[in-house]
Amino acid sequence: MRVVVDASVALKWVFDEPESEAAVALRAEDLVAPALWLAEVANALWRRSRIGDITPDEASSLLFELHNAPVASLAMEPHLDRALKLATEIGHPVYDCIYLALAVHHDTHVVTADRRFAAAATAAGLTDRVRLLSLDPSQAASNVRFARSQAPAQDAAAASQRGEQSDSEAASRTAAAK
């Protein structure tokens, strides 16, 4: 089955983290992602290097490993209009919605470790299109509970959607992707 994976899942292939085992198991699937995923993992590796979790040489080595992962990197340009519409619909940044638009195009789902992304999609009724890495489809109801618990954060999400993201918010997003 074809599955779209995002950068939060790919990073678990190279770091020993919760859910890494589930992420590695996904590598047996037919994986696709918008070419954006490589830029996102490169940025996360840079941040980890910057804070001293890894050396710059380790970051380069891990990026090489990820570049050779079994993921078909697809052009994102054909999906930007749909991603923009989805971002507006679910109130979540376009860059995550590019993965969602690709999943819709291929009639499949995105697997992510990004709880906010999964919650936003679930709240908009797109539970079948975005799945948390740690959840099998029968547990998707917990996405709904998480989405409801995030209601107070909607103002911050709206600011983020407008591109008003501070370095600490970006670091939090990267940390959430760990």
Side-chain angles (χ1 to χ4, degrees):
M1 167 183 231
R2 179 165 279 186
V3 176
V4 177
V5 291
D6 71 2
S8 68
V9 171
L11 286 166
K12 292 182 181 299
W13 296 335
V14 296
F15 292 110
D16 186 18
E17 303 176 331
E19 302 162 345
S20 287
E21 200 171 303
V24 169
L26 275 174
R27 291 173 67 130
E29 301 293 333
D30 177 17
L31 302 179
V32 297
L36 172 68
W37 82 276
L38 286 168
E40 287 194 308
V41 297
N43 192 63
L45 293 169
W46 167 78
R47 282 190 181 280
R48 285 191 176 203
S49 171
R50 185 174 176 206
I51 63 173
D53 285 350
I54 58 175
T55 68
D57 287 342
E58 289 170 323
S60 290
S61 177
L62 293 172
L63 181 59
F64 179 80
E65 185 178 335
L66 288 166
H67 188 265
N68 290 301
V71 179
S73 295
L74 305 178
M76 64 181 168
E77 293 83 0
H79 308 286
L80 287 173
D81 186 54
R82 177 170 271 171
L84 177 59
K85 289 174 183 169
L86 287 165
T88 302
E89 179 184 327
I90 72 172
H92 195 77
V94 170
Y95 58 86
D96 283 341
C97 290
I98 293 170
Y99 295 92
L100 179 55
L102 190 63
V104 169
H105 176 77
H106 288 281
D107 194 27
T108 189
H109 59 276
V110 179
V111 177
T112 184
D114 183 341
R115 293 181 63 85
R116 286 187 291 165
F117 178 33
T122 297
L126 296 170
T127 305
D128 61 327
R129 295 293 183 193
V130 179
R131 296 183 186 162
L132 278 173
L133 177 62
S134 61
L135 296 179
D136 66 42
S138 68
Q139 296 174 313
S142 69
N143 280 2
V144 175
R145 287 191 297 279
F146 182 78
R148 289 183 185 137
S149 74
Q150 296 301 299
Q154 287 178 347
D155 290 337
S160 175
Q161 180 182 357
R162 293 187 303 269
E164 300 168 4
Q165 184 176 36
S166 70
D167 283 343
S168 64
E169 288 171 17
S172 294
R173 177 172 162 68
T174 300
K178 292 181 186 178

